Amino acid sequence: MQVHTLFEGTYSVDATKKFIPFDAAVHNFKDRPASLFINVQPFLVELNNDLVLFDTGLGFSDDHGELILHKNIRNAGFDPTDVTKVLMSHLHYDHSGGMVHQQENGKTELSFPDAEYVINRGEWETAFSSTSSSYHTDIFDFLQRNAQLKFIEGDGNLDEAIAYELTGAHCPNHQVFLLTEGNQKVFFGGDVLPEPGELIKNFIAKYDFDGRKAMELRKAFGKRAAAENWECLFYHSKEQATGFVEALDGGFRIR
């Protein structure tokens, strides 16, 4: 099992909820007042029988109109058509925008036409009924008409290598995934475990639907990760995208 990081970029988000690319080498933090700065990093994982993508980023394109996610996948040595499963933790825009490629000419295409999109059924239903700007229903409308969709519920296994678990906490129908091949275990915690700092500092985040539950889940996953030697993938971390958890003195550190 091999993990490839697919860093899409750093973005500032203010009250307008628009994601604006931010490069500290070019831009100034002072020019983005009252903004939250977010790193976006999907992951590609090679399994024996699958090429799995964890969440799809914002779906931004470069100056040539190429999907940044596609370019990163090619840089990892694959073609986007090689992806067999797109495993979604949830459908907030910063995780789901790249499920489709919205081109400059106004045409929309599936980003991964040969892949199965695996989505929690409750999250899918929430995406259509919610009034939150975090959900972009135009994307889901297109998927519904064109994509291979697989809806899952609760906890279970897609196959012998891929397990999923309903967590809620960040949003009511958030889910996480654990991949297992031989002695290797890779955990994708989505926005329940988005950065190492949230595990190490152990705090309640205001952006979670149930912040206390999210905090308790991070501790529980941290203990399991340390005990079972999971490689954890951190979707919103730039400096430390992956790592192994060590338990110490009632807390954790990442190596």
Side-chain angles (χ1 to χ4, degrees):
M1 187 158 42
Q2 181 68 40
V3 175
H4 303 271
T5 58
L6 307 173
F7 184 64
E8 188 179 15
T10 299
Y11 300 85
S12 65
V13 188
D14 61 15
T16 66
K17 301 289 186 172
K18 291 183 178 179
F19 289 80
I20 303 173
F22 181 85
D23 184 347
V26 178
H27 305 121
N28 192 317
F29 286 97
K30 294 181 180 179
D31 295 333
R32 307 279 176 91
S35 292
L36 179 68
F37 294 87
I38 296 176
N39 301 304
V40 176
Q41 185 149 236
F43 294 90
L44 193 69
V45 183
E46 294 177 67
L47 295 167
N48 288 336
N49 299 313
D50 277 303
L51 185 63
V52 169
L53 177 68
F54 281 123
D55 289 356
T56 64
L58 287 158
F60 281 25
S61 297
D62 64 14
D63 294 337
H64 303 289
E66 182 181 12
L67 200 65
I68 294 172
L69 183 58
H70 280 180
K71 182 163 66 175
N72 289 342
I73 289 172
R74 291 189 177 99
N75 288 341
F78 301 93
D79 189 85
T81 57
D82 296 333
V83 175
T84 56
K85 286 185 174 65
V86 178
L87 305 183
M88 300 299 301
S89 65
H90 62 301
L91 296 176
H92 288 170
Y93 180 56
D94 57 323
H95 292 253
S96 66
M99 292 199 293
V100 300
H101 184 194
Q102 297 175 330
Q103 301 174 331
E104 293 179 355
N105 61 9
K107 185 178 180 181
T108 300
E109 293 182 344
L110 281 178
S111 299
F112 306 98
D114 298 322
E116 182 178 61
Y117 289 73
V118 180
I119 301 168
N120 176 272
R121 184 179 298 278
E123 180 69 355
W124 179 258
E125 294 171 353
T126 296
F128 282 101
S129 61
S130 174
T131 58
S132 171
S133 60
S134 294
Y135 295 107
H136 288 215
T137 54
D138 57 324
I139 294 174
F140 312 134
D141 282 333
F142 187 84
L143 252 71
Q144 190 164 234
R145 295 192 305 269
N146 297 281
Q148 302 174 53
L149 299 175
K150 182 177 180 64
F151 297 113
I152 56 178
E153 299 178 79
D155 304 343
N157 296 79
L158 291 177
D159 54 35
E160 61 182 11
I162 304 173
Y164 55 89
E165 183 175 331
L166 178 66
T167 61
H170 176 66
C171 57
N173 296 289
H174 184 283
Q175 62 186 358
V176 299
F177 294 90
L178 180 65
L179 307 183
T180 303
E181 276 192 347
N183 294 325
Q184 281 185 280
K185 293 182 180 291
V186 170
F187 177 71
F188 180 65
D191 273 0
V192 166
L193 188 56
E195 300 181 72
E198 292 201 6
L199 180 62
I200 295 168
K201 296 176 183 177
N202 191 33
F203 60 91
I204 296 175
K206 294 181 180 179
Y207 44 74
D208 287 324
F209 170 74
D210 186 337
R212 182 166 296 280
K213 181 180 180 182
M215 181 181 70
E216 294 301 323
L217 281 169
R218 284 194 289 273
K219 289 192 292 185
F221 286 132
K223 291 177 181 178
R224 289 168 62 185
E228 299 178 24
N229 198 37
W230 295 355
E231 180 177 4
C232 296
L233 312 183
F234 302 109
Y235 186 84
H236 285 304
S237 179
K238 180 180 180 181
E239 303 303 326
Q240 193 167 16
T242 73
F244 293 86
V245 178
E246 294 181 354
L248 68 163
D249 301 326
F252 303 98
R253 71 178 177 185
I254 309 296
R255 58 176 173 81

